[in-house]
Amino acid sequence: MDERPPQKPWLLFIRLSRPLFLLGAVLLYALGVGIARYLGSPVNWTAYFMGQFWALFLQLAANYLNEYYDSSQDVINPNRTPFSGGSGVVGKLSPQTVLLSAAACLVAGASITVLMMRTLDLSSGLLFVMILAFLGAVFYSMPPVRLVASGFGELTTSILVANLLPAFAFMLQRGELHRLVAMTTFPLTALHLAMMLAFELPDYASDLKQNKRTLMVRLGWQNGMALHNALILFAFLLLSLSLVFGLPLMIAVPAFIPLPLGLLQIWQMRRIALGGKPNWNALTLTAVALFATTAYLLTLAYWTR
């Protein structure tokens, strides 16, 4: 019997909101604005903060919907880490409260959308990106689509976070895309997808039992681990190719600093594949550190050049 005192509701909401991933979204949004600034566009701070709050409300809605629809499966997983599965809050907060929180965030996001359309010059391309982001975030967990159970949810999330979010921030500042956005974000997409696979490996047995068709389950653990390792190598290969196609040297070079972390992550995966005792917290923490440091160093390079 759990005799620990119940947590305060505001602490539960912090857990529910997954603040570490919110900080990641702030970082990737800043990356998109940093690229625009590097190309000579003065930062429109009104657009910056309106877009940032729009993205955060959409992410919060996606977090809450995921918790509402998936918590019953996530909570029974004995190998959950701080980075995988749900937050485990549903049951301590009522499901209705979680669902209402998601609805409130969507309403706030819609209000900001109207305000942006009235005060900013939103291009058709930018509106298309916003629609894609909305559809991907909402239907990641929500029926009838439920991308999370289709095997495509991980790819959708990686594109949303590592591609569309920086592109959205960039287009708010410049109105149209530039090849630097693609050259910078495609390696991050590969690292993000590798991170998602690392998150799912501790959940593999539970997801298989619950018939939760994640990408790792669909691939099988051996193929999923091989894909994880290939994605890390592919990310740094893309960075190298980006240099050939015009990514400035002083932007790209700092992004290679986390390469030893990537090799460590590959070694951890290989060790588990060969039968070594897994340390799930270390595996997922390294995955987060690899993606976060690469994104941070790219963002810092754009903002300081």
Side-chain angles (χ1 to χ4, degrees), residues 16-297:
L16 179 67
S17 302
R18 309 190 80 177
L20 182 63
F21 293 98
L22 294 178
L23 289 174
V26 170
L27 174 63
L28 288 161
Y29 184 89
L31 172 62
V33 178
I35 298 172
R37 178 186 173 277
Y38 175 82
L39 292 172
S41 296
V43 178
N44 181 335
W45 291 105
T46 300
Y48 186 109
F49 287 110
M50 290 176 71
Q52 181 69 89
F53 280 110
W54 183 87
L56 287 175
F57 278 122
L58 186 61
Q59 185 180 4
L60 284 170
N63 288 346
Y64 299 157
L65 288 171
N66 180 67
E67 188 72 25
Y68 178 79
Y69 286 106
D70 280 7
S71 62
S72 61
Q73 293 177 319
D74 292 331
V75 76
I76 66 171
N77 177 15
N79 293 323
R80 282 173 59 201
T81 72
F83 308 108
S84 62
S87 68
V89 165
V90 172
K92 300 173 184 177
L93 288 173
S94 70
Q96 292 77 13
T97 300
V98 176
L99 189 60
L100 284 173
S101 299
C105 289
L106 290 175
V107 169
S111 301
I112 295 175
T113 302
V114 172
L115 187 60
M116 290 168 66
M117 293 178 71
R118 289 184 175 180
T119 58
L120 304 175
D121 184 18
L122 302 184
S123 66
S124 57
L126 177 58
L127 289 172
F128 180 68
V129 167
M130 293 173 71
I131 291 170
L132 286 179
F134 171 80
L135 293 176
V138 170
F139 289 109
Y140 177 77
S141 298
M142 181 180 287
V145 180
R146 281 188 55 78
L147 291 168
V148 67
S150 69
F152 296 102
E154 297 85 351
L155 179 59
T156 301
T157 300
S158 296
I159 291 173
L160 278 173
V161 173
N163 280 113
L164 290 185
L165 181 55
F168 166 68
F170 180 89
M171 294 177 75
L172 268 178
Q173 300 294 322
R174 285 182 68 94
E176 58 184 8
L177 284 174
H178 188 276
R179 60 193 176 94
L180 274 184
V181 177
M183 288 191 289
T184 303
T185 60
F186 281 137
L188 290 176
T189 304
L191 289 179
H192 192 278
L193 186 54
M195 181 178 70
M196 297 287 288
L197 287 169
F199 290 170
E200 290 178 354
L201 187 59
D203 303 341
Y204 181 79
S206 175
D207 289 343
L208 193 61
K209 183 178 179 181
Q210 295 293 317
N211 198 30
K212 188 174 179 181
R213 305 291 287 172
T214 64
L215 181 59
M216 182 65 76
V217 169
R218 285 183 174 271
L219 291 173
W221 66 268
Q222 291 175 310
N223 291 332
M225 294 169 83
L227 177 60
H228 166 276
N229 295 343
L231 283 168
I232 291 175
L233 296 176
F234 183 59
F236 289 100
L237 175 62
L238 283 178
L239 273 174
S240 301
L241 291 174
S242 295
L243 283 168
V244 177
F245 290 101
L247 185 67
L249 183 65
M250 297 308 294
I251 298 294
V253 166
F256 284 95
I257 294 175
L259 179 57
L261 271 178
L263 298 177
L264 173 62
Q265 183 76 1
I266 291 172
W267 175 81
Q268 289 177 307
M269 276 290 185
R270 288 285 300 161
R271 180 175 171 274
I272 295 171
L274 294 173
K277 183 179 180 180
N279 185 332
W280 298 129
N281 286 331
L283 178 72
T284 53
L285 179 60
T286 306
V288 171
L290 174 60
F291 176 75
T293 53
T294 306
Y296 171 77
L297 290 169

Side-chain angles (χ1 to χ4, degrees), residues 1-7 15 92:
M1 181 176 179
D2 190 354
E3 297 181 354
R4 291 174 297 179
Q7 293 187 21
R15 285 181 56 196
K92 300 173 184 177

